[in-house]
Amino acid sequence: MIGSNLDSDVVLARMIGFIIGVTIHEFAHAWTALRLGDPTAARMGRITLNPIAHFDPIGFIGLMLISLGWPAFGWGRPVPVNPNLLQGHRKGMAVTAAAGPLSNIIIATALAIPLRFSGAELDGFDYTLVTQMIFVNLLMAAFNMIPIPPLDGLKILTGFLPAFWYQYIVPMERYGFAILLVVILMGGRGIIAAMYLPVFDLFRGAIVGQGVL
């Protein structure tokens, strides 16, 4: 799906897709947390659609490398959430975490419906922009569902695990980025791909059909 010799229109479209996708993803986390009782992110100005509020400089570089076709790892600025302030605590945290990937699925679906069902005809950069934004948002949703810290998948999983396991898994989150980077650097890229690609293919087939992306 990602090559090192991409057309410049594809690169630009993916960059736009990541800027919009990450912004709405992080906004969804912050907005959901506030709705469930935690104002932490709101007080830090994270309930905004201004991309600057949600982007991490190093993570942004990673997203641009992905846009250029290189195997990299990028991220947005994490949204601070206090589970103790959320309604339902663990389940509230799971809902807040799920809001991010869900927002990406909604974006992809909104773009795919006219493309797939209404017979809308796009060409040139318009077609590239729509299809790459769908691709990027489905990729973000699938990747974030991996149950490895600091990804949303682990927070979603812990919301439904018995309390016995919760006490052992939650402390792992403070080492989230380190754990993920170690897995990648130790040759775990294939393992990670095996975890998110089936989810990506499932989303792609259900939302846009196999022949679009």
Side-chain angles (χ1 to χ4, degrees):
M1 294 181 300
I2 300 177
S4 57
N5 296 308
L6 296 178
D7 181 270
S8 59
D9 282 352
V10 173
V11 173
L12 176 59
R14 287 189 179 178
M15 288 182 177
I16 294 172
F18 274 124
I19 291 172
I20 295 175
V22 169
T23 298
I24 295 179
H25 180 106
E26 302 300 344
F27 167 87
H29 284 317
W31 181 83
T32 304
L34 180 63
R35 296 288 295 179
L36 292 177
D38 178 17
T40 305
R43 290 171 179 167
M44 298 179 68
R46 300 300 300 276
I47 301 184
T48 176
L49 292 176
N50 180 352
I52 296 175
H54 302 296
F55 274 74
D56 178 277
I58 298 177
F60 182 75
I61 292 173
L63 295 175
M64 295 304 97
L65 290 175
I66 296 172
S67 299
L68 290 168
W70 295 99
F73 172 56
W75 60 89
R77 183 182 168 199
V79 170
V81 179
N82 185 344
N84 295 323
L85 297 179
L86 295 173
Q87 297 174 19
H89 302 306
R90 286 196 297 131
K91 285 188 171 54
M93 187 69 238
V95 172
T96 300
L102 180 60
S103 71
N104 296 123
I105 293 173
I106 292 173
I107 294 171
T109 303
L111 292 170
I113 287 175
L115 189 66
R116 184 176 183 183
F117 299 109
S118 72
E121 294 185 4
L122 298 173
D123 54 20
F125 183 70
D126 290 339
Y127 179 80
T128 300
L129 179 61
V130 170
T131 55
Q132 291 304 313
M133 284 188 64
I134 294 171
F135 168 81
V136 163
N137 278 279
L138 293 183
L139 184 67
M140 288 181 59
F143 186 79
N144 274 284
M145 294 300 290
I146 298 175
I148 296 176
L151 302 177
D152 297 323
L154 184 68
K155 297 182 179 71
I156 297 170
L157 179 63
T158 54
F160 299 95
L161 285 175
F164 173 81
W165 291 107
Y166 183 77
Q167 61 183 323
Y168 294 106
I169 293 178
V170 169
M172 294 170 56
E173 294 185 10
R174 71 182 67 177
Y175 308 109
F177 280 108
I179 293 173
L180 185 58
L181 288 175
V182 167
V183 171
I184 293 173
L185 293 175
M186 292 184 66
R189 189 175 296 147
I191 297 174
I192 291 176
M195 297 176 74
Y196 82 82
L197 284 178
V199 179
F200 175 86
D201 289 337
L202 177 65
F203 290 158
R204 178 178 61 177
I207 295 173
V208 296
Q210 297 292 337
V212 177
L213 298 179

